[in-house]
Amino acid sequence: MTLRSAELDRIGGVAVPFESVTVDLQNKPKEFVDLYAVSNPLPGARAKVPLLEVTDGTDRAVLCESLIVTEYISERYGGGALLPPRFEDRARAKLFTELCATSFSYWSIIRAKGEAREAAIETYRQELTGIDIFLSRVGEGSGPFLLGDRFSIAECNAAPFVQRACAILPSFTGKGEMGNGEGKSVDLLEICDELKLVRLKMWIEAVLARPSVVHTGVSREDMVKSTTLMLKRFASTEVKK
C-alpha cells in the first residue's frame, strides 16, 4: 500500500505494480494512523503522508517522510536512477534539497495581509534569488537541472513545491480568483523575469515540463480547493485562540 505514489512515478522507468490510496488528512482512517505508527513509533507523532508499505515475500517495510520514501524507491526499484553515481554529485543534490527545496513554500504569503504580506513577498524574492545563486555556482551548465541534463533527487524532492507555488500564488494574491484584490499578483516565473533569475527560471521550466512530473501533478483546480479548505481551517483555529 502506498499512500502517495508520486515518488514512484516521478523516477520514471520503474516497472513495479503498486496501489495508490488517497487519505483524507482531516478525517484520518484508523488503518492509516495505525500503519503510520509502525513507521514512526515516536509518542505523539502526527500521522501524515507520504506513507509507503512494501511487502515482498517475507520482507516488509513501512516508511514515512518524502525524502526517505523517494530514496528508498529509487534505490530498490529504479536502480538508483535519481542518485548520481559520484558521491560529490549526490552531496550536491541532497544539499540543494536541504537548503532550497522548501523555499518555494507560499503559506507565509497567502496567510498574511497588508504590510505583513508585502514583507513575506520580499522575503520570498530574496529566497528565490538565493536559489538562483546556488544553481549558478553549484550546478552544472550543461543542462537545465542542477546536475546538467540529469534529473536527480534534487528535482524530484522540489517538484511538488514548485508545481504548487506556480498554481497557488497567482490564484491567492492580487486579483487572482481567490485573492482579495490587495496588492499585485505574485507569480514565480514573473519574479524570475523581474529579478533576472535566468538560471532559476530555466530550472523551473525544465522541472515543470518533465513528463513524470506532469503525470504525477495534482490539477490546479484540486490544489486551489485544498488550499482554500486549509486556509479556512487556519482561520477557524485562530478564531478559537
Side-chain angles (χ1 to χ4, degrees):
M1 177 188 298
T2 175
L3 301 177
R4 194 181 94 184
S5 60
E7 289 82 1
L8 185 64
D9 289 339
R10 222 174 261 131
I11 294 171
V14 179
V16 57
F18 66 93
E19 177 189 3
S20 180
V21 180
T22 300
V23 174
D24 181 357
L25 295 179
Q26 305 307 313
N27 186 26
K28 302 172 186 176
K30 184 177 184 301
E31 179 188 11
F32 168 65
V33 175
D34 291 345
L35 188 61
Y36 186 87
V38 175
S39 174
N40 181 358
L42 296 180
R46 179 171 58 89
K48 56 186 179 179
V49 293
L51 180 63
L52 176 73
E53 181 183 28
V54 177
T55 303
D56 187 2
T58 58
D59 294 333
R60 180 175 185 253
V62 182
L63 304 170
C64 62
E65 298 297 335
S66 295
L67 305 187
I68 304 301
V69 169
T70 302
E71 194 164 327
Y72 173 86
I73 293 174
S74 178
E75 290 191 303
R76 177 156 186 173
Y77 299 108
L82 293 176
L83 300 170
R86 295 180 67 244
F87 293 118
E88 294 80 6
D89 290 339
R90 289 193 184 199
R92 280 195 291 167
K94 292 181 180 182
L95 185 61
F96 178 87
T97 297
E98 179 70 24
L99 299 180
C100 302
T102 58
S103 294
F104 294 102
S105 177
Y106 44 77
W107 288 105
S108 62
I109 294 176
I110 65 175
R111 293 185 65 186
K113 297 180 181 179
E115 293 183 359
R117 171 168 287 191
E118 292 303 313
I121 293 174
E122 180 57 33
T123 298
Y124 197 74
R125 289 161 60 92
Q126 293 173 8
E127 290 180 343
L128 293 181
T129 300
I131 299 174
D132 183 78
I133 292 173
F134 186 98
L135 288 168
S136 299
R137 296 182 182 179
V138 180
E140 297 179 8
S142 57
F145 302 119
L146 174 68
L147 302 177
D149 289 324
R150 186 186 185 106
F151 182 88
S152 74
I153 198 169
E155 285 76 32
C156 183
N157 290 330
F161 295 103
V162 176
Q163 285 177 316
R164 294 169 195 158
C166 287
I168 295 302
L169 280 172
S171 299
F172 285 82
T173 57
K175 296 182 179 180
E177 67 266 39
M178 304 303 295
N180 58 8
E182 181 182 296
K184 64 180 297 187
S185 177
V186 179
D187 184 284
L188 204 56
L189 293 177
E190 288 182 2
I191 292 177
C192 288
D193 288 335
E194 182 182 346
L195 300 181
K196 295 181 171 55
L197 308 179
V198 178
R199 184 65 174 88
L200 175 58
K201 183 178 181 180
M202 179 173 64
W203 179 85
I204 291 174
E205 291 178 334
V207 169
L208 294 178
R210 179 82 174 182
S212 54
V213 173
V214 174
H215 176 63
T216 59
V218 179
S219 71
R220 180 177 176 279
E221 180 181 10
D222 285 345
M223 283 191 277
V224 169
K225 181 179 179 181
S226 63
T227 301
T228 300
L229 291 174
M230 187 65 73
L231 287 173
K232 289 181 179 178
R233 188 165 72 88
F234 286 148
S236 175
T237 302
E238 290 170 357
V239 168
K240 291 179 180 178
K241 292 180 179 179

